[in-house]
């Protein structure tokens, strides 16, 4: 039963999807701890991820299941799935190859807000691959 | 101008909030790399976070700004704010003391799905503090 106590301190996995049937999932490099990307899963994406051992998300833009790497080859092998206290967010510890972001970087988080600025970014990473070679136009 | 090119490869911070005026923000321990929690920010929460240097979120449950640690004392000093490729998700690199989750753990992600199970969790952390002593009833 999904009581607060069970959700927060229990051993039953009771994932809570939002009104759109989605929950956020954060992919973290199992080896380096780097946060690679954040995306959403619906129930089916989560089930496929658990069953296949490779991350599948739900694309809100395209409104369809999206197996990470289906186009780029940069798949995510899921080593562990963590869930947060209220069971409405996941962290996937994943093993990956070089280049996870479609822009060409290892992580989608390749820019940071500059110190003492609220508008200006700076790059904090270098490209890991050439996306033009991977995503055939 | 918020073109795809500018959003993905530019140096202008153009945070994209969803239809509810929110964007997800992931707090990551700046020292250990541990993902501590995921929450949401509205424009005001983001501005306050940038201005004060301490993480402020927007509580969807309570529909109000929530300065992390305002009740528990477990504030998050923001060292760096990363933004993802499409500028609709943030990673905050934060410095914290012991105990970030209201349940008593250092991270909200204190449970993992057991190997070869789709329903059973296991604890992967021990409590870092006693929440009953911190949250006055």
């Amino acid at each position: 039963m999904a009581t607060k106590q069970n959700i927060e301190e229990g051993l039953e996995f009771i994932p809570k999807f939002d009104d759109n049937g989605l929950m956020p999932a954060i992919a973290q490099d199992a080896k380096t701890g780097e946060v690679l990307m954040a995306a959403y899963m619906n129930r089916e994406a989560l089930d496929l991820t658990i069953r296949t051992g490779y991350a599948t998300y739900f694309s809100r833009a395209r409104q369809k299941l999206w197996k990470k790497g289906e186009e780029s080859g940069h798949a995510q092998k899921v080593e562990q799935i963590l869930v947060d206290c209220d069971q409405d967010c996941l962290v996937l510890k994943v093993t990956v190859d070089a280049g996870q972001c479609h822009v060409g970087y290892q992580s989608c988080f390749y820019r940071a807000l500059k110190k003492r600025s609220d508008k200006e970014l700076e790059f904090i990473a270098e490209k890991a691959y050439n996306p033009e070679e991977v995503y055939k136009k």
Side-chain angles (χ1 to χ4, degrees), chain A residues 68 71-72 100-102 129 131-137:
Chain A
K68 175 76 180 97
E71 202 180 342
S72 65
Q100 282 291 304
C101 176
H102 75 285
Y129 73 102
E132 292 187 10
E133 286 173 11
V134 166
Y135 295 93
K136 312 288 183 288
K137 300 293 164 88

Side-chain angles (χ1 to χ4, degrees), chain A residues 7-76:
Chain A
I7 290 168
E8 291 186 349
E9 310 239 27
L11 291 175
E12 187 188 352
F13 185 42
I14 315 167
K16 188 180 160 201
F17 298 90
D18 69 13
D19 293 345
N20 297 313
L22 300 176
M23 70 190 295
I26 301 157
Q28 184 180 27
D29 189 310
K31 204 167 5 176
T32 67
E34 186 175 23
V35 175
L36 299 171
M37 55 173 278
Y40 289 85
M41 289 187 175
N42 61 4
R43 179 77 239 191
E44 193 180 356
L46 175 57
D47 287 344
L48 279 167
T49 298
I50 293 170
R51 180 141 33 93
T52 64
Y54 284 86
T56 292
Y57 300 98
F58 182 83
S59 166
R60 292 177 303 167
R62 290 175 286 155
Q63 286 287 308
K64 69 184 194 82
L65 290 173
W66 156 51
K67 188 188 170 201
K68 175 76 180 97
E70 66 190 357
E71 202 180 342
S72 65
H74 297 304
Q76 297 176 341

